[in-house]
Amino acid sequence: MPTSDRESGWFVQKFDFLSELPDAAFNSLCLKANRVTLKAGEILFSENETADHLYVVMSGTLGVFTNQVSQESKQLIALVGKGEIIGEIAIIARGLRSADVIALRDTDLLRISRERFELLIKKHPEIALPIAKILATRLRESTNSTAINIRPKVISFIATSPDVDAVAAAVKVANCLKN
């Protein structure tokens, strides 16, 4: 389960998506967000869950997995890394999650609730433009390209400290790939 906390000393860098925000909107977003830390193998959210938060990846890598047509196995369809947002489509559309998202390595995220996001958009409408650019790019990429089978053959897990259970993380990812 992801851990979450508010740390006044946690420094948020202004890069990628965040760098496009005016300072007032960036500061407001950071004040409204919580920090979430996932260990490798932990699930951020699952397909068909109610969407109640969107996330900005501060460090680490997430894998986006979806059911193949046969529903017999999951397919890795995207990687989400530092500076990218995830979960915004379901938040904006007020829908369900369309995929499973799992940490492929230890990952720090900013988490913001739907309610706080909507208030931020009302107070700082300039936040909507960078998000619209991201949505347009993702739509263009998904409609202008053929499906890419990104099914990994080898994934390595290396414990970076004694507290990291690399075997458990590997088992979670393997189960996601075969389920």
Side-chain angles (χ1 to χ4, degrees):
M1 198 67 190
T3 58
S4 175
D5 62 357
R6 283 192 185 269
E7 293 183 10
S8 58
W10 192 55
F11 179 70
V12 177
Q13 292 179 295
K14 200 171 179 183
F15 54 82
D16 291 341
F17 158 71
L18 298 174
S19 69
E20 293 193 41
L21 303 180
D23 288 340
F26 173 77
N27 293 334
S28 188
L29 175 73
C30 291
L31 287 173
K32 301 292 184 191
N34 292 79
R35 177 183 180 186
V36 174
T37 300
L38 294 172
K39 298 281 187 197
E42 286 188 300
I43 296 171
L44 179 60
F45 53 77
S46 297
E47 188 172 1
N48 295 320
E49 282 183 357
T50 301
D52 50 4
H53 293 90
L54 66 82
Y55 302 85
V56 181
V57 178
M58 302 308 295
S59 68
T61 305
L62 301 171
V64 181
F65 297 87
T66 187
N67 285 320
Q68 291 185 343
V69 177
S70 65
Q71 299 287 324
E72 293 174 11
S73 65
K74 298 273 184 193
Q75 181 178 13
L76 178 64
I77 60 167
L79 298 173
V80 180
K82 182 178 177 180
E84 294 184 80
I85 60 174
I86 188 149
E88 76 288 348
I89 294 173
I91 289 294
I92 293 169
R94 293 186 168 262
L96 299 176
R97 301 292 187 194
S98 60
D100 295 340
V101 175
I102 189 168
L104 298 181
R105 53 182 292 219
D106 292 357
T107 303
D108 284 319
L109 305 120
L110 288 180
R111 175 179 69 184
I112 186 162
S113 70
R114 172 188 288 127
E115 295 79 18
R116 288 184 171 181
F117 177 71
E118 289 173 354
L119 288 172
L120 276 171
I121 292 290
K122 287 178 185 171
K123 186 175 180 182
H124 301 282
E126 61 272 24
I127 292 174
L129 183 58
I131 291 175
K133 287 179 185 177
I134 291 165
L135 293 173
T137 299
R138 288 181 181 168
L139 177 62
R140 183 180 37 220
E141 288 171 355
S142 69
T143 57
N144 289 343
S145 64
T146 59
I148 299 172
N149 188 357
I150 311 175
R151 187 126 177 115
K153 303 270 187 267
V154 176
I155 299 175
S156 298
F157 290 86
I158 301 170
T160 56
S161 75
D163 298 337
V164 175
D165 186 349
V167 173
V171 168
K172 287 180 184 178
V173 170
N175 287 336
C176 190
L177 287 171
K178 70 179 181 182
N179 289 333

